[in-house]
């Protein structure tokens, strides 16, 4: 897998007429299927408006990066832990 996106990263999904999305979390688990995804995202700029506005996607669905999210030493530590789970 490519490097994980940072929290706050805004990107276009690899679909026709894609709307911008923003990363708000990592490794969400679908409550009904138990399937784990790479990212928890919301539509940008709307953000979270209800539980139905939270989407789960995998890295392969990420297209063009519009904005790279915040990055610091703690981000590095967290992403290293996430990659160790894979």
């Amino acid at each position: 897998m490519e490097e994980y996106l940072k929290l706050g990263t805004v990107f276009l999904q690899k679909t026709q007429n894609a709307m911008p999305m923003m990363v708000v979390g990592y490794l969400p688990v679908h409550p009904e299927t138990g399937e784990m995804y790479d990212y928890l995202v919301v539509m940008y700029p709307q953000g979270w408006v209800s539980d139905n506005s939270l989407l789960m996607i995998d890295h392969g669905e990420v297209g063009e990066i519009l904005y790279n999210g915040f990055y610091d030493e703690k981000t590095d530590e967290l992403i290293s832990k996430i990659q160790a789970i894979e």
Side-chain angles (χ1 to χ4, degrees):
M1 167 161 165
E2 296 179 37
E3 185 174 327
Y4 274 86
L5 301 174
K6 312 305 185 256
L7 289 178
T9 295
V10 178
F11 65 93
L12 295 176
Q13 197 173 12
K14 286 183 183 175
T15 59
Q16 193 172 25
N17 301 321
M19 296 289 292
M21 298 182 161
M22 183 173 68
V23 176
V24 296
Y26 299 110
L27 304 181
V29 176
H30 193 282
E32 294 174 11
T33 66
E35 186 175 352
M36 183 183 292
Y37 292 84
D38 294 325
Y39 302 108
L40 183 64
V41 302
V42 293
M43 299 301 285
Y44 182 86
Q46 297 90 336
W48 183 88
V49 292
S50 73
D51 287 344
N52 292 333
S53 64
L54 296 171
L55 305 168
M56 298 177 205
I57 68 164
D58 286 319
H59 193 83
E61 298 174 66
V62 175
E64 178 185 355
I65 304 294
L66 303 175
Y67 173 80
N68 284 306
F70 182 73
Y71 176 84
D72 65 2
E73 198 173 280
K74 290 181 181 184
T75 304
D76 238 1
E77 292 172 20
L78 176 62
I79 290 176
S80 291
K81 289 177 184 178
I82 289 170
Q83 289 173 329
I85 293 171
E86 294 182 325

